[in-house]
Amino acid sequence: MGVKRRRLPIPLSVVALIAVACATTAPLAIEVATPTQAPTAAPSPTGTVPPERPAEDAVETATVAPTAEPVILNPVAGAAGIGDPYYPGLGNGGYDVQRYILDLDWDPQSARLDGRATIEATATQDLLSFNLDLEGLEVAAVAVDGADASFVHEGAELTITPAEPLPDGEPFVAVIDYGGRPMRIDPLADIPIGGWFFVNGTAFVMSEPGGNFAWHPVNDHPLDKALFRVEVTAPGDLTVASAGLLVGVTDEADGDRTWIYEPPDPMAPYLLPLAIGDLELIDEGEASGVPIRNAIDRDLLDRQDAFGRTAQMMEVFIDLFGPYPFDAYGVLVVDAVVGGALEQQTLSIFGQDFLRSGRDFDDVVAHELAHQWFGNHVALGAWEDIWLNEGFATYAQYLYFEAIDPEYDIDAEIGRIRRFDRTLLSLPVPGDPGPEQLFATSVYFRGALTLHALRRTVGDDAFFASIAEYVDRFGGGNVTTEDFEAVVEEVSGEDLDAFFDAWLLDPALPEQPTG
């Protein structure tokens, strides 16, 4: 069962500009400045209570053998990639991260970031060494389980060799001290967008499909979700915004201020938000018990009403997709031309180019919110299935308008989408767009057309029941297109192999079913 993977030729001449993209399709219009908690131990074995015996019976005493140290016969080096078919250099193999503790010190005068990253992880094989992704910053020292470790840092790969091999299945803690001037990852390199930006006095991060390795050591792939604790020390006149709710703020003796965020839910590293600048933290109330708080550049506060319908959107999506999956939501608005928006977990980022455009962009706001379910809570297993993020978030825009306006004709809107240039909707095929066109028009809009066609094929009841089951079953984990198809087939009772092949992998755009 499932979509058959077959690579189709993709003409490089196809150029797609997505006005509502979750990530830019062209280089960002930004000038970059040049100046705890320990891992949970395994529970103890629970003894069995013996039946009552007569008092005269002898009591037998069990002898527990001492636990043997793990035997490592042939430790090997962990892989320098996690195995993504589009981006083989992203992520690493041989271990699973449970938590990152990032202790950062930001100096805007020198544009320098100094950090200590504490990484709590578990080996998934006997490891002689393991890799982390990190580029452009200098590593000063590495320790593993309290002992100094040797390391080699070349390009974006930091290879660490502990003093003793790491046994399969055993937890370990790596501590990396590093620093330098973090930068944007070259968009002409293998990774199309990502990194650290410093514009108009505000530092912020924006990365998809990768780029956190520009500012902290990381296993930079959605397959390795982890918890984060972010502690940032910066000048006292600046505000720090990150994922989840603010845990605490401490004024330092030298006039600096330390901000701490510790969201309770794991996330893919590229979704971790961070901004340090002249920001206003604004409490916008709540929706269905979910706090809504925004972080907006003070020069853009006059446009904050652009996000005034977030609570309404939240209510609609909770009704359609199930409970909101995280502890908070809001938007981060920076005074920079970013050319897009990105669904960072619990704090979607927007640039001033949206706010100053003069257009109503409820569609984009709804799109980024929907990603909290599709892309963040239910995350990709590989980037070739990007349509599961973008097609769902795009279709959610139209579902929102359908829910709030009884006069809204979603079929007519889908018809208008189909009148786009057929080339832009047909190629690349959304089910396998290729790494060069990850954010192509067809991924977004033909992805949405696919979902509407599916809805009209199986009917509203089966379609929305399938979406709710998909979110419930795979929330917190990773998915493939085959996973989604399996859920819809299970709920609807229909064989949908031919449907998904035609809509996701055939260059010819199918006719839209009317239901």
Side-chain angles (χ1 to χ4, degrees), residues 115-413:
R116 165 170 285 187
T118 301
I119 301 175
E120 300 169 354
T122 301
T124 57
Q125 63 187 67
D126 291 337
L127 285 174
L128 180 66
S129 64
F130 62 95
N131 283 33
L132 290 163
D133 302 313
L134 181 68
E135 184 172 6
L137 298 172
E138 182 178 350
V139 176
V142 178
V144 177
D145 290 337
D148 290 345
S150 61
F151 61 91
V152 176
H153 191 194
E154 296 179 345
E157 293 294 333
L158 173 63
T159 303
I160 298 172
T161 303
E164 298 290 337
L166 301 173
D168 181 13
E170 291 295 310
F172 66 92
V173 178
V175 179
I176 301 97
D177 291 319
Y178 66 99
R181 292 179 176 178
M183 64 182 133
R184 169 187 176 182
I185 301 300
D186 185 351
L188 300 179
D190 291 338
I191 309 303
I193 177 176
W196 178 282
F197 304 94
F198 186 30
V199 184
N200 293 333
T202 297
F204 63 94
V205 299
M206 190 172 181
S207 303
E208 187 182 17
N212 275 40
F213 60 91
W215 61 282
H216 72 91
V218 60
N219 194 13
D220 206 352
H221 193 278
L223 274 176
D224 198 359
K225 287 186 173 184
L227 295 170
F228 283 85
R229 175 183 170 92
V230 180
E231 186 169 333
V232 179
T233 300
D237 59 342
L238 301 181
T239 297
V240 177
S242 191
L245 297 171
L246 181 63
V247 173
V249 182
T250 302
D251 290 324
E252 308 294 345
D254 61 1
D256 286 351
R257 183 171 289 173
T258 299
W259 304 71
I260 302 173
Y261 291 85
E262 192 168 12
D265 302 294
M267 72 182 79
Y270 82 97
L271 295 171
L272 176 63
L274 178 64
I276 311 166
D278 188 22
L279 304 171
E280 182 82 19
L281 301 182
I282 304 168
D283 182 353
E284 296 285 358
E286 61 178 43
S288 294
V290 178
I292 298 176
R293 80 285 180 263
N294 298 332
I296 300 179
D297 189 284
R298 288 189 173 89
D299 287 339
L300 298 170
L301 289 174
D302 61 320
R303 293 302 315 278
Q304 62 180 296
D305 61 339
F307 304 99
R309 286 165 290 284
T310 298
Q312 182 187 51
M313 294 173 184
M314 180 83 76
E315 300 285 358
V316 168
F317 291 157
I318 288 172
D319 185 56
L320 292 174
F321 310 142
Y324 179 74
F326 306 120
D327 66 331
Y329 184 66
V331 297
L332 166 64
V333 183
V334 295
D335 189 13
V337 176
V338 301
L342 182 66
E343 65 276 11
Q344 295 172 325
Q345 193 155 307
T346 76
L347 198 66
S348 297
I349 185 171
F350 294 78
Q352 58 100 334
D353 43 329
F354 271 112
L355 291 182
R356 298 301 187 196
S357 67
R359 67 177 286 258
D360 181 324
F361 58 99
D362 278 356
D363 51 352
V364 188
V365 179
H367 183 111
E368 305 309 331
L369 173 58
H371 267 307
Q372 303 302 311
W373 285 265
F374 304 108
N376 297 13
H377 188 45
V378 180
L380 296 179
W383 285 105
E384 63 184 340
D385 289 312
I386 183 68
W387 87 275
L388 290 172
N389 287 8
E390 304 306 346
F392 273 78
T394 302
Y395 192 51
Q397 302 167 202
Y398 306 115
L399 292 177
Y400 165 67
F401 293 122
E402 182 183 40
I404 65 168
D405 182 0
E407 302 298 320
Y408 183 81
D409 186 342
I410 194 168
D411 291 296
E413 188 62 36

Side-chain angles (χ1 to χ4, degrees), residues 432-465:
D432 192 4
E436 300 87 357
Q437 300 195 72
L438 197 66
F439 304 116
T441 300
S442 55
V443 171
Y444 292 74
F445 290 99
R446 184 161 163 180
L449 294 180
T450 298
L451 292 171
H452 191 66
L454 180 64
R455 177 182 174 184
R456 291 295 179 242
T457 298
V458 302
D460 274 15
D461 289 346
F463 176 78
F464 287 108

Side-chain angles (χ1 to χ4, degrees), residues 49-87:
V49 178
E52 283 190 25
R53 299 191 196 182
E56 64 269 22
D57 281 0
V59 177
E60 297 180 3
T61 303
T63 301
V64 179
T67 302
E69 289 294 323
V71 177
I72 302 179
L73 298 179
N74 296 297
V76 297
I82 209 166
D84 191 277
Y86 280 8
Y87 306 107

